[in-house]
Amino acid sequence: MSGGTLHQLFEDRVRSEPDRTAVITDRARLSYRQLDARANRLARHLVETLRLPAGGLVVIRMLRAPDVLIAVLGVLKAGGAYAVIGPDQPEPPFLANARAVITHQAQLARIDDRGRRVITLDGDAAAIEAHSGEPFDEPAATGWRAVVLFTAGTTGKRRPVTASHKQLRAAYDAWAEVYRLTQEDQVLVTAVPDTTEFTGGWIRTLGSGATLVLSRRKAITVADTDPLTSASLLDGRKELPELRLVAVGGERLRLDEQVRLQRRLVPGARLISVYGPTEAFGCGTWFETGQLPGPVENPERHAYLGQPFPGCEARIRKGQVWLTPPGGGEAVPTGDLGRRDGEGPLEFRGRMAHRVKVDGRTVDTYRVEAALAGHPKIRESVVDAGGGQLIAYVLPASGSAPGAETVRSHLTGAVPTADIPRTVVPIKSLPRNSAGKVDRKALVKPPVRSAAGNKSGSKGGGPLTSEDRAAVGLAVALPVAIMSFFFTDVIWPGSTDLSLVPDPWAWFFRGLYLAESLALAAGVGFLIGGRPLMSSRGRPRGLTTAAHLAIVWLLASWWPQDNLYRLAAKQDWPRQAALVYTFNVPLMIAAGVVAAWAVWGGLRSDTESEG
């Protein structure tokens, strides 16, 4: 394994081939020597103005290349760590303690400096250029943090992940063994600089002494990209004799897609699907079709993660993929589901976050999407939930999308009947984030309609939504509380008589009577509006019904129970026994039912893992 820092890896290439082209864009071309000199000047400027501690954080708020690379290398050479954030993106609170922000003057109005030093590459150009561009010496402690990466955030908030020089050098060693880049390669990287994919791309390329190409109009030998761009790249060129490797990351490729793209390459060229979440620094597993022992039936229904990169491990725990990052360390759960047949490649089986709950059931949307992939008129699909039902968003292969009845007919027999979406929404494109991943949160939910075609909650009728039921429950609860409080003595004369109870103790009992009325109101309200809330938790329907009624009883029964107890003589044993078996024993049973409902998911997971 190679040691040292990331920038030392780059500097080794500067010393061996200083005049080789390092970066090509539409407007610029920089040699390794030129890129190194600019980074050295910025590093000296940072040391002089900031006095960065080891691993001190600097935020880079720009996306224009190659300025981002100059800033990245300059920060690393100065002993700091960097985080790239797009100018239009909100800055996570985690970065509030950063020592400085590097940007362009045009972006200043969008940036909250939070009291930090702001350096603009154009505005401070004279001061930066005044420094020497000669090699810059710094300590070589590889345990320092080098970069703060951010998860894609397609299923939640973007989370920061810190990576050290040592960890990324280990990732580079793993990538080098699989990618096998050489100094002669011209590597197209299409990811934007604020993504994990771009970080891996520049490290792999510049660490190998190759040329980093940031334009789709230039000649390339390697494409480092996402599924959508790879299809556009390969389908848009008739002959690609110079292209020897296509590495596809971000979203997973279906097997049929990978086979189709592979056929567009010249014999001997490779197409690999790479997989690595941010928590593993983008280095996890890789797959090419040669890893399969034989033909696969229905290839459109399969996507493979393959085998781990050297130095990494991939395991399946309770159906979920866990990765050990390159260079070792604790295994991290990826949130992806997978399986492996014997010693074959690891197969992708969807994401846990993409499972949805409808009518008390957990629906594996990946299974539905895989079945839809077999329809000849569907290019891509996403299945999600909205308004208590399943929705299929369908991107047609060409022309118009198939109708809802056609889609449902195609899915019949391929997935459980309850998993067939009721609503089919044709779309022109799927929303994607900067890394090319489908952003499910950006999907527009259609209006939910009843079987008669009316919008839910409209005057035309139709089933009430969960929100409607909750509103009705609240509306009913308040008058119930008031009526029960004032009519208690009408129903049970004398049960709340406090004439012989001195203050302040009488107020304690008045508070109890009020609490009983409020509990009754809560029970009635929960009877009306609580079932949809409980159904969304994915428990069995029968258990959910029992638990729903049990909660209603636990809340509502105190009002009649306490009033009847207060009127019953202590020595009236038949009446006391009747009250115990009417109220107390059912309360115990109700508590047990609620407990069983609450722990059901954990018990089921444990049972599945043992099986």
Side-chain angles (χ1 to χ4, degrees):
M1 179 184 297
S2 62
T5 60
L6 281 180
H7 48 287
Q8 285 175 336
L9 181 65
F10 165 74
E11 290 164 350
D12 289 343
R13 304 305 178 186
V14 175
R15 285 188 289 270
S16 62
E17 293 282 345
D19 296 322
R20 184 176 292 277
T21 301
V23 184
I24 295 177
T25 69
D26 284 329
R27 298 181 179 180
R29 180 185 294 259
L30 288 178
S31 68
Y32 274 83
R33 188 199 307 273
Q34 291 171 323
L35 180 58
D36 186 56
R38 294 191 184 185
N40 288 336
R41 291 188 179 97
L42 178 59
R44 286 187 167 89
H45 184 72
L46 293 175
V47 169
E48 180 182 281
T49 57
L50 299 179
R51 291 182 171 82
L52 275 177
L57 188 59
V58 176
V59 179
I60 299 172
R61 296 216 64 168
M62 54 188 175
L63 296 178
R64 190 170 70 194
D67 286 352
V68 170
L69 285 172
I70 294 171
V72 163
L73 291 168
V75 171
L76 294 176
K77 285 170 176 282
Y82 73 90
V84 180
I85 302 291
D88 296 327
Q89 292 183 351
E91 189 170 311
F94 173 80
L95 301 180
N97 295 325
R99 291 301 185 101
V101 178
I102 300 177
T103 186
H104 292 118
Q105 283 189 310
Q107 308 298 339
L108 288 177
R110 306 181 186 183
I111 295 174
D112 176 10
D113 60 23
R114 305 186 187 187
R116 304 166 299 192
R117 179 67 179 266
V118 177
I119 298 170
T120 59
L121 293 187
D122 45 2
D124 295 317
I128 295 171
E129 288 296 320
H131 294 284
S132 170
E134 293 301 309
F136 185 79
D137 296 327
E138 66 358 286
T142 59
W144 297 346
R145 66 177 175 181
V147 58
V148 175
L149 304 169
F150 291 91
T151 57
T154 53
T155 57
K157 293 183 178 180
R158 299 183 75 196
R159 293 182 291 104
V161 176
T162 299
S164 69
H165 287 273
K166 181 179 180 180
Q167 291 167 326
L168 291 176
R169 285 293 294 253
Y172 169 77
D173 290 335
W175 286 321
E177 194 167 333
V178 172
Y179 282 70
R180 302 196 287 272
L181 299 182
T182 71
Q183 291 183 341
E184 305 303 322
D185 278 318
Q186 298 199 116
V187 184
L188 171 67
V189 174
T190 60
V192 294
D194 62 344
T195 61
T196 301
E197 288 79 7
F198 181 85
T199 298
W202 83 255
I203 293 173
R204 286 189 291 269
T205 305
L206 299 185
S208 304
T211 299
L212 179 63
V213 180
L214 301 174
S215 169
R216 300 184 192 183
R217 293 193 287 268
K218 305 297 181 180
I220 58 173
T221 62
V222 176
D224 192 335
T225 186
D226 58 85
L228 193 63
T229 306
S230 65
S232 174
L233 179 70
L234 296 180
D235 291 343
R237 299 190 182 186
K238 294 182 179 180
E239 296 181 359
L240 297 164
E242 72 282 359
L243 193 59
R244 68 172 191 84
L245 172 65
V246 177
V248 182
E251 293 280 8
R252 266 65 59 190
L253 274 176
R254 296 197 314 264
L255 181 58
D256 66 316
E257 294 175 321
Q258 188 159 351
V259 170
R260 182 181 65 82
L261 293 175
Q262 178 72 58
R263 289 172 179 165
R264 300 288 294 125
L265 298 173
V266 298
R270 302 168 63 210
L271 190 143
I272 61 175
S273 175
V274 294
Y275 163 78
T278 302
E279 292 83 353
F281 321 123
C283 185
T285 63
W286 65 284
F287 171 75
E288 56 185 337
T289 56
Q291 295 176 11
L292 291 170
V296 175
E297 187 177 357
N298 299 320
E300 71 279 356
R301 298 191 180 188
H302 300 271
Y304 288 92
L305 304 179
Q307 62 188 34
F309 275 95
C312 301
E313 289 185 10
R315 299 180 182 276
I316 305 296
R317 299 180 185 175
K318 296 183 179 181
Q320 185 178 179
V321 179
W322 288 63
L323 287 179
T324 300
E330 293 186 4
V332 294
T334 65
D336 292 313
L337 300 165
R339 71 180 181 188
R340 177 185 282 119
D341 293 330
E343 299 299 321
L346 183 66
E347 184 178 356
F348 175 74
R349 299 298 297 168
R351 285 189 58 79
M352 295 182 67
H354 295 166
R355 289 178 166 179
V356 296
K357 292 172 182 174
V358 177
D359 292 334
R361 301 176 60 256
T362 298
V363 179
D364 184 356
T365 61
Y366 177 77
R367 179 167 54 175
V368 184
E369 292 165 359
L372 286 174
H375 196 290
K377 292 186 177 181
I378 296 177
R379 184 196 306 173
E380 289 184 276
S381 67
V382 170
V383 176
D384 204 354
Q389 63 175 280
L390 285 177
I391 304 168
Y393 298 85
V394 175
L395 181 67
S398 61
S400 59
E405 289 303 321
T406 301
V407 169
R408 286 193 282 266
S409 176
H410 174 77
L411 291 174
T412 301
V415 300
T417 302
D419 291 357
I420 297 177
R422 298 181 189 175
T423 303
V424 177
V425 180
I427 54 177
K428 295 182 179 179
S429 63
L430 289 170
R432 298 179 185 273
N433 63 10
S434 58
K437 298 180 180 180
V438 174
D439 188 354
R440 291 172 181 251
K441 294 185 297 182
L443 291 168
V444 178
K445 296 292 190 295
V448 179
R449 298 178 180 272
S450 68
N454 294 313
K455 293 182 180 179
S456 296
S458 68
K459 293 181 180 181
L464 292 176
T465 65
S466 300
E467 293 79 4
D468 293 335
R469 292 190 181 187
V472 172
L474 288 174
V476 171
L478 182 60
V480 167
I482 296 172
M483 292 178 62
S484 63
F485 186 76
F486 287 103
F487 281 86
T488 298
D489 277 328
V490 175
I491 301 173
W492 296 286
S495 67
T496 60
D497 182 11
L498 297 174
S499 59
L500 299 179
V501 180
D503 291 333
W505 307 112
W507 287 104
F508 284 96
F509 287 104
R510 291 189 182 97
L512 173 64
Y513 303 156
L514 176 61
E516 291 169 355
S517 295
L518 292 175
L520 172 67
V524 173
F526 198 78
L527 177 65
I528 298 170
R531 176 61 189 274
L533 299 175
M534 296 181 69
S535 297
S536 67
R537 308 303 297 175
R539 271 60 167 182
R541 183 174 300 180
L543 180 59
T544 297
T545 299
H548 177 223
L549 296 176
I551 293 174
V552 172
W553 182 251
L554 286 168
L555 290 168
S557 66
W558 296 102
W559 182 62
Q561 173 189 238
D562 278 6
N563 283 290
L564 288 170
Y565 266 118
R566 286 192 287 269
L567 295 175
K570 296 297 181 181
Q571 306 301 321
D572 188 349
W573 303 120
R575 190 169 187 178
Q576 290 285 349
L579 290 174
V580 166
Y581 281 93
T582 301
F583 291 102
N584 294 60
V585 172
L587 284 172
M588 299 175 196
I589 296 172
V593 171
V594 173
W597 181 85
V599 302
W600 175 265
L603 291 173
R604 184 178 60 179
S605 298
D606 291 342
T607 303
E608 290 175 350
S609 64
E610 290 172 2

